Amino acid sequence: MENEKRTIVVPGEKVFNDQRRVDGGYADAAGTFATTMAMVHEDRLVPLKGYYLPKPGDFVVGIVKEETFNGYEIELNSPYDGRLSTRETRERFLVGDVISAKVADVNEIHEPIIAEPRKLGGGEVLDVESVKVPRIIGRNASMVETIKQHTKSELFVGKNGRVYVKGGNTALAIRAILKICKEAHTGGLTDRIVALLEGRE
Amino acid sequence: MILDEVKEAYVRDLLAKGSRADGRQLLQYRKVKVTKGAYPNAEGSALAEIGDTKVAAGVKFDAAIPFPDRPQEGVFMVNSEFPILAHPAFEPGPPNENSIELARVVDRGIRSAEVIDLKSLVLEEGKVLGIFVDLYVLDHSGNLIDCAALAAMAALADAKVPKYDAETKKLLRDQPVGALPIAHKIVTCSFEKIGSKILADGTDEEEIASDGRYTIATADSKTICATQKSGAAGFTRQEIVKMMDIALEKGEELRKLI
Amino acid sequence: MAVSEEKQMIVNGKRLDGRGFNDLRPISIKAGVLKRANGSALIEWGRNKVLAGIFGPREVVPRHMTNPKRAIIQARYIMAPFSGQEEHGRSGPNRRSMEISKVAKHVFENVVMTNMFPKTMINVDMEVLQSDGGTRVAAITAASVALADAGIPMKDLVCGVSTGRINGQLVVDLDKTEDNYGESDMPLILSPRTGEVLLHQIDGKLTKEEIAQAMDMSFEASKKIHELQVAALKGRYERVLAETENGNNGGGN
């Protein structure tokens, strides 16, 4: 059901009476409190703001920031840059290259090791908030497939909140993604995105 | 900021096809807005906006000691600050070369056209009126010079001169004697050269891609009073003449906003 | 604090601008006002206008200040040279602004979950564009909204007010005149969730009892300020929610 109540909370606002370890929440003896702007919906706390912290297994879109003696530093739309070792790849990269890659490992202070790099070229890069990525992808990738179908664009949505768009109606695909981000906390979003893509809006 | 550099290729690709990321024509400005009197504690103030770029300006008057080589002239100074909240690349510390260039180009436009009659600013023997214009960049999305020039000029046009009390040698700020006389409204038009293309009112992304900038300050529809060429690119004589034509025309439009 | 016995600032039980002893000046807060900053807020508090902007968590500059266990916070409170009603000010930091920057930093070190972002730096920039007394509490109140706008995890939104004594009377939210001619001034920032005081400075003579009463008055006034912070942050999301819900009903969903 789309009509269930959605409540917006701010940092410091109580969201649950019990202590829960959840993203965007902080628990102490008095209960669980929001730490970022978030939405409470169906007994879940959904952050509306936040930074990307790399996790092993994440597929991400990075930008080569620096070449080092044994690899590359990869910018990930995150406070932490990734390390890509030259052992991981035979391909040569230049500073400014956009790549898709996988986070292979992360140390205790979030610094990620990057693997499986693949150069992306000729498209556009769009940075959004990483907390919006699940909405852009949609249940079973339904949202991203809808956008691809209508725009004929190639889309790669990195878990780090960086989207790579190539070919097709790039401008329309970007408009759809920005609308998803703006309205991520609302219900009935799929219908409105389809309306936008079909030019009914 | 590395993302900005990635966008350089995108900016150049688009430009090769004759278009810009925000859909503007090459010589088209973003939406320009000027709010006079934005900070009324200052004797004159304004907030200028060009697209997402925002620059605040404040004018303060002080009873000052004249420069020794110009005892019969008031003091006019333009200073600029790049506070760190305006851009991820801005750092705390003394003004850097960009901030100094910005202040000097704005200063030169106003000073060279004799916008303010400095000789009229003598209060008494050894005391003159000092006019201090402070430019504050609040949000840097490109074309800071044009935005700063608008803010500075609007703040001067908004300024009320306080009464001078010869006995205490102090300015009575709550007793303004009138508006500061302004001879011209100076505006600037800045152009970026990217490859062989020239565009007006560059965004921050376009400035990164830019090979060079040319700024033209105009006093009215016929008079150019200052220019500044910046960056490595060279401009042909023809290009310069064309930019001047545009600056004289566009300047009239911007002047109306002050 | 300049003490002058002559200046009458309370007339018929009202302050010079017509406020009662517990009244705040009009306050408006806007979140997300800057394009380039990660988070931002503009607060207009009486005649005060303060803009706060956040960058980070990002790489620490200078590098030797890196803390491997947590993010460091660099707070900068600064007044524009044209912000006052007096003569032209000096640009850049001075001893006063550096002290305020330091105590503001400690406020944010309390509520920001710095342990989540080791080896990074968070910049909190507070630019006073117009000042009329109480700028430090206005700046920190705005910066707290800007941090939430940036998405930096925090245990609470902090806020506060300056309470002080004028003509022997305790009053909330001193303006510039009251600050200049009053007897004492007590800026205070608190965490509304825990009730802990995170910034507390006293300038001028006050008895223990007066301080206790001034704290009560500050706490009470801060409730209103906190409501304004919450409204500034929630407003944008709630507007979108309301728009889409109306749209859904109309569309027969």
Side-chain angles (χ1 to χ4, degrees):
Chain A
M1 272 305 290
E2 292 285 5
N3 284 337
E4 278 167 49
K5 194 165 160 48
R6 293 156 196 269
T7 315
I8 308 294
V9 292
V10 299
E13 196 166 337
K14 194 177 209 176
V15 281
F16 305 119
N17 286 321
D18 52 347
Q19 287 101 46
R20 301 191 200 177
R21 288 191 56 165
V22 288
D23 266 359
Y26 161 81
D28 70 8
T32 305
F33 299 85
T35 57
T36 59
M37 297 299 301
M39 173 177 67
V40 183
H41 182 222
E42 293 171 348
D43 207 34
R44 281 184 309 135
L45 182 65
V46 186
L48 298 171
K49 286 273 182 183
Y51 289 82
Y52 174 66
L53 293 179
K55 291 191 183 67
D58 283 356
F59 285 96
V60 293
V61 176
I63 300 169
V64 179
K65 186 177 163 185
E66 216 178 303
E67 192 171 350
T68 59
F69 70 99
N70 60 356
Y72 303 92
E73 262 187 51
I74 311 294
E75 201 278 337
L76 294 173
N77 189 30
S78 160
Y80 300 96
D81 292 338
R83 291 267 314 124
L84 171 62
S85 162
T86 34
R87 277 176 307 195
E88 281 292 329
T89 172
R90 254 182 249 119
E91 203 170 349
R92 290 272 296 156
F93 296 104
L94 298 171
V95 171
D97 278 351
V98 181
I99 61 165
S100 71
K102 188 177 170 181
V103 177
D105 200 5
V106 176
N107 70 9
E108 68 280 7
I109 57 163
H110 310 301
E111 290 167 338
I113 305 292
I114 298 297
E116 302 174 26
R118 192 167 62 91
K119 201 183 284 192
L120 303 170
E124 225 194 311
V125 179
L126 178 70
D127 276 7
V128 299
E129 285 176 85
S130 62
V131 293
K132 307 285 167 75
V133 167
R135 275 303 240 176
I136 298 172
I137 292 172
R139 214 162 279 170
N140 301 320
S142 57
M143 192 74 94
V144 77
E145 286 306 322
T146 304
I147 301 174
K148 281 183 186 172
Q149 247 175 44
H150 282 86
T151 61
K152 307 281 181 260
S153 296
E154 190 186 313
L155 276 186
F156 190 98
V157 185
K159 272 297 266 296
N160 57 332
R162 182 169 284 155
V163 187
Y164 178 78
V165 192
K166 186 182 175 180
N169 191 343
T170 317
L172 183 60
I174 289 174
R175 260 174 64 207
I177 292 164
L178 292 176
K179 187 178 170 72
I180 295 169
C181 291
K182 186 177 167 228
E183 302 181 8
H185 60 294
T186 65
L189 184 54
T190 310
D191 293 346
R192 290 196 304 279
I193 293 301
V194 171
L196 171 78
L197 292 167
E198 289 179 351
R200 286 189 280 118
E201 196 192 50
Chain B
M1 284 174 289
I2 183 84
L3 183 63
D4 292 337
E5 283 161 44
V6 170
K7 300 232 162 147
E8 177 174 344
Y10 180 63
V11 168
R12 284 178 179 274
D13 283 356
L14 277 177
L15 215 51
K17 296 178 213 150
S19 64
R20 300 171 78 170
D22 53 14
R24 274 186 290 155
Q25 306 288 313
L26 294 193
L27 296 173
Q28 192 184 349
Y29 268 65
R30 290 166 289 179
K31 193 166 169 256
V32 184
K33 190 179 163 198
V34 178
T35 312
K36 275 202 260 185
Y39 312 101
N41 272 2
E43 280 88 62
S45 66
L47 176 67
E49 298 169 67
I50 302 184
D52 288 311
T53 295
K54 291 186 182 68
V55 180
V59 174
K60 273 285 176 191
F61 296 108
D62 275 346
I65 297 162
F67 291 116
D69 55 336
R70 287 160 192 259
Q72 295 303 314
E73 282 186 17
V75 172
F76 177 73
M77 275 176 83
V78 180
N79 186 37
S80 102
E81 288 283 326
F82 284 18
I84 53 180
L85 56 67
H87 195 272
F90 288 180
E91 289 171 2
N96 65 14
E97 59 178 27
N98 292 323
S99 158
I100 288 168
E101 182 188 37
L102 175 88
R104 285 188 56 86
V105 171
V106 172
D107 182 295
R108 194 152 74 233
I110 295 169
R111 199 183 291 273
S112 63
E114 295 170 348
V115 166
I116 297 155
D117 178 12
L118 294 179
K119 292 201 164 58
S120 73
L121 302 182
V122 178
L123 298 169
E124 61 176 89
E125 186 65 36
K127 275 277 182 196
V128 296
L129 198 61
I131 305 176
F132 300 91
V133 181
D134 284 281
L135 296 166
Y136 250 61
V137 176
L138 302 180
D139 207 350
H140 172 22
S141 289
N143 199 7
L144 291 180
I145 295 182
D146 291 1
C147 198
L150 277 172
M153 207 54 239
L156 286 168
D158 176 58
K160 284 132 212 112
V161 182
K163 188 176 165 187
Y164 177 65
D165 181 15
E167 247 166 64
T168 59
K169 313 225 177 283
K170 280 192 172 146
L171 295 177
L172 306 174
R173 288 168 207 278
D174 49 352
Q175 295 177 40
V177 292
L180 176 72
I182 299 282
H184 304 280
K185 288 176 177 169
I186 305 301
V187 295
T188 67
C189 288
S190 295
F191 302 86
E192 303 291 338
K193 186 169 183 180
I194 305 178
S196 61
K197 294 273 198 319
I198 287 178
L199 49 87
D201 180 30
T203 62
D204 46 341
E205 281 167 14
E206 288 166 340
E207 285 178 0
I208 287 168
S210 172
D211 302 306
R213 172 184 309 141
Y214 201 94
T215 299
I216 299 163
T218 58
D220 55 45
S221 67
K222 292 185 197 67
T223 317
I224 288 160
C225 56
T227 66
Q228 177 84 339
K229 188 251 147 189
S230 198
F235 290 84
T236 65
R237 184 178 182 284
Q238 219 175 356
E239 284 170 337
I240 291 172
V241 170
K242 190 184 164 207
M243 287 186 291
M244 288 180 169
D245 284 340
I246 298 159
L248 288 165
E249 190 190 319
K250 182 71 196 176
E252 286 298 283
E253 220 176 285
L254 294 174
R255 234 181 301 282
K256 286 191 192 121
L257 299 171
I258 295 172
Chain C
M1 177 143 301
V3 179
S4 157
E5 296 303 325
E6 284 88 74
K7 184 92 178 167
Q8 257 319 309
M9 287 180 286
I10 297 175
V11 181
N12 298 330
K14 295 275 182 205
R15 295 150 76 177
L16 291 181
D17 59 2
R19 280 188 289 157
F21 302 149
N22 293 302
D23 293 347
L24 290 161
R25 288 170 281 181
I27 299 173
S28 94
I29 308 175
K30 272 195 217 117
V33 293
L34 299 179
K35 167 114 187 302
R36 290 306 312 239
N38 295 139
S40 59
L42 173 69
I43 193 164
E44 299 188 271
W45 181 321
R47 287 173 65 89
N48 291 314
K49 289 179 203 269
V50 188
L51 189 58
I54 309 297
F55 282 105
R58 57 180 174 180
E59 209 175 317
V60 182
V61 193
R63 206 174 273 238
H64 72 264
M65 292 187 53
T66 304
N67 184 323
K69 292 210 168 67
R70 59 175 186 88
I72 63 161
I73 292 177
Q74 299 208 323
R76 201 176 89 119
Y77 159 101
I78 214 151
M79 287 174 90
F82 55 82
S83 60
Q85 282 181 303
E86 310 79 20
E87 68 273 24
H88 181 241
R90 288 247 187 110
S91 5
N94 54 28
R95 291 170 65 86
R96 173 183 172 276
S97 72
M98 285 172 81
E99 185 210 343
I100 294 173
S101 300
K102 179 176 187 292
V103 291
K105 174 180 76 178
H106 298 320
V107 169
F108 300 121
E109 283 170 344
N110 180 281
V111 287
V112 172
M113 301 177 78
T114 53
N115 58 327
M116 284 179 70
F117 300 99
K119 287 179 81 172
T120 66
M121 149 179 103
I122 297 167
N123 289 97
V124 180
D125 194 18
M126 297 163 277
E127 303 285 339
V128 179
L129 298 171
Q130 181 153 285
S131 67
D132 191 32
T135 54
R136 80 193 65 185
V137 289
I140 294 168
T141 298
S144 183
V145 173
L147 281 162
D149 179 53
I152 289 175
M154 293 185 289
K155 293 180 187 170
D156 204 3
L157 284 176
V158 299
C159 63
V161 67
S162 185
T163 297
R165 199 179 66 200
I166 59 169
N167 300 152
Q169 173 67 47
L170 288 175
V171 298
V172 164
D173 187 18
L174 302 184
D175 65 21
K176 185 79 187 163
T177 308
E178 293 173 329
D179 185 18
N180 283 352
Y181 297 98
E183 293 109 44
S184 46
D185 173 29
M186 184 189 86
L188 179 147
I189 292 283
L190 83 152
S191 164
R193 184 174 72 84
T194 63
E196 281 182 301
V197 173
L198 304 182
L199 176 147
H200 198 206
Q201 298 176 303
I202 292 178
D203 185 3
K205 286 182 195 161
L206 286 172
T207 66
K208 210 167 63 178
E209 290 72 24
E210 283 174 323
I211 292 168
Q213 197 195 334
M215 284 208 259
D216 286 345
M217 291 165 79
S218 296
F219 275 48
E220 191 56 36
S222 295
K223 283 184 193 160
K224 257 185 215 143
I225 302 166
H226 186 250
E227 279 168 23
L228 293 167
Q229 290 179 303
V230 171
L233 286 164
K234 285 189 182 179
R236 288 182 295 166
Y237 294 101
E238 287 175 343
R239 267 193 298 282
V240 175
L241 258 184
E243 278 166 29
T244 56
E245 270 162 17
N246 290 340
N248 282 352
N249 295 341
N253 263 2

